[in-house]
Amino acid sequence: MTEIIGGISRSRIAAVREHETMVYVAARPRSEAAIGKGAQGYLGGVPMHWMRDWPMPFPFIVKKAKGAKLTDIDGIRLADFCLGDTGSMFGHSPAPVADAIRRQARRGLTYMLPNSDALAVGTLLSERFGLPYWQVATTASDANRFALRVARAITNRSKILVFNGSYHGAVDETFVQLQHGDQTNKKGLAGEFRDLTQGAVAVEFNDIEAVEKALAEGDIACVITEPVMTNSCMVLPQPGFHDALRAATRKHGTLLLIDETHTISTGPGGYTRAYGLEPDLFVLGKPIAGGVPASVWGMSADVAARWQEYEATKEPGYSGMGTTLSANPLQFAAMRAMLEDVMTDDAYKWMEERAERLQEGLAKVIEDNGLAWHVVRVGARVEFICAPGPLANGTEAAQAHAPELESVIHLGLVNRGCLIAPFHNMMLVSPATKKKHVDRLIMAFEDIVSELAQ
Ligand SMILES: Cc1ncc(COP(=O)(O)O)c(C=O)c1O
């Protein structure tokens, strides 16, 4: 008997994959010649190993990306809903950012001193996100690492609590998971020889009892969480979860770090402002500088005061925080343009409206094809999940993930002119995304899903 994945037989998935692969290859002779067998000089044939994780037989070579569109060297144009896995959430090369970069490029790219853009950005961050003190780093991974260091330092506690199945970047102290109820290192880590469960504990998202129990041990410095779990199949917080989480962390003297790197799709002040969360520490990376590598991390007045006290007494030497190119003028030029001219209320309104249209369109396709799948959305970020919903936690999200089926859908969408994120079924709607792009994606989804569901 054939195995069924997400309501589709494995043999049908294989047949559709074969056909879609042929279509992809036939349309891209130039990309195939350039990278079909791997690009020279690169380990594994690509400059960064994630470039092999796309569902296509080989990646296409990008000629140009502008707004919500990508053009490859074979002249094929795609509506881009991946948007650099959020790095370009507000569209490729928004004009204010491109102009600011061009301007700054003539005035020095890094000098380890503040300039007037740096001064402006501090105020913009405080006003927008509500936390009074900020630091700048280069990646969201770094920002999370540094914020966690502050949390451990000022609480004098060693452990971090993470939610099972979450992802916060290349942050060693978050690489633990629950496996059949046991704490273990995450699977697949390269070169890891430490037992990371010594420094972190994983519990399920939406499980406030498990949070309470872990915090009651008294050794947890900080809970790090996204407001919505986005890095698995998307899991929304259940009603009351965030309030209970905040109350529990306060009760046990544990800090709360909210990582808004993806959920900034919610609104101008992220999920935090939209839903009145009160984090002690706040992290935002990827889109904050429109694709220029930059991240920011903010802290409450209480955390800042405790940090200053700690710093005044700590022994001299490198804190373990900071990298040379962080807080450079190119980052500030781009961030200022993003905060002042791109991540505006109007832009969010546009994104939200089109994302809602996309959500409804995809849900209808699923219903029309009689599939037990669901669609979930946080602001401008939409995701279809090839399993019933809603999902409650990381374990359920892992069970819902259907890579074999999803990768054929992704490939089918590319062949029909739409690119979505390779790692999950994420679709981002940018201020440059037009109604026609959304409708093209809905039609492409309809086409490939009905092919599969035949
Ligand atoms: C929620 C979240 N935080 C942090 C990161 C790390 O971002 P970066 O890879 O830019 O360091 C990611 C990356 O996907 C993320 O999804």
Side-chain angles (χ1 to χ4, degrees), residues 50 85 139-141 144 167-169 226 230-231 259 261-262 286:
W50 283 347
D85 199 55
T139 65
S141 302
N144 277 325
Y167 179 71
H168 296 281
E226 292 186 275
T230 67
N231 279 293
D259 179 351
T261 299
H262 274 234
K286 307 210 252 192

Side-chain angles (χ1 to χ4, degrees), residues 246-319:
R246 186 61 278 198
T249 47
R250 286 205 171 114
K251 176 170 143 201
H252 294 285
T254 297
L255 300 178
L256 178 62
L257 188 166
I258 297 287
D259 179 351
E260 289 267 13
T261 299
H262 274 234
T263 48
I264 190 66
S265 61
T266 315
Y271 195 99
T272 293
R273 272 281 159 107
Y275 290 87
L277 306 188
E278 295 173 359
D280 301 297
L281 293 153
F282 178 106
V283 163
L284 173 57
K286 307 210 252 192
I288 185 64
V292 171
S295 61
V296 294
W297 51 289
M299 61 190 92
S300 67
D302 175 57
V303 169
R306 289 164 71 186
W307 170 250
Q308 275 169 338
E309 216 173 286
Y310 172 88
E311 245 199 330
T313 55
K314 102 171 177 57
E315 62 183 339
Y318 177 51
S319 64

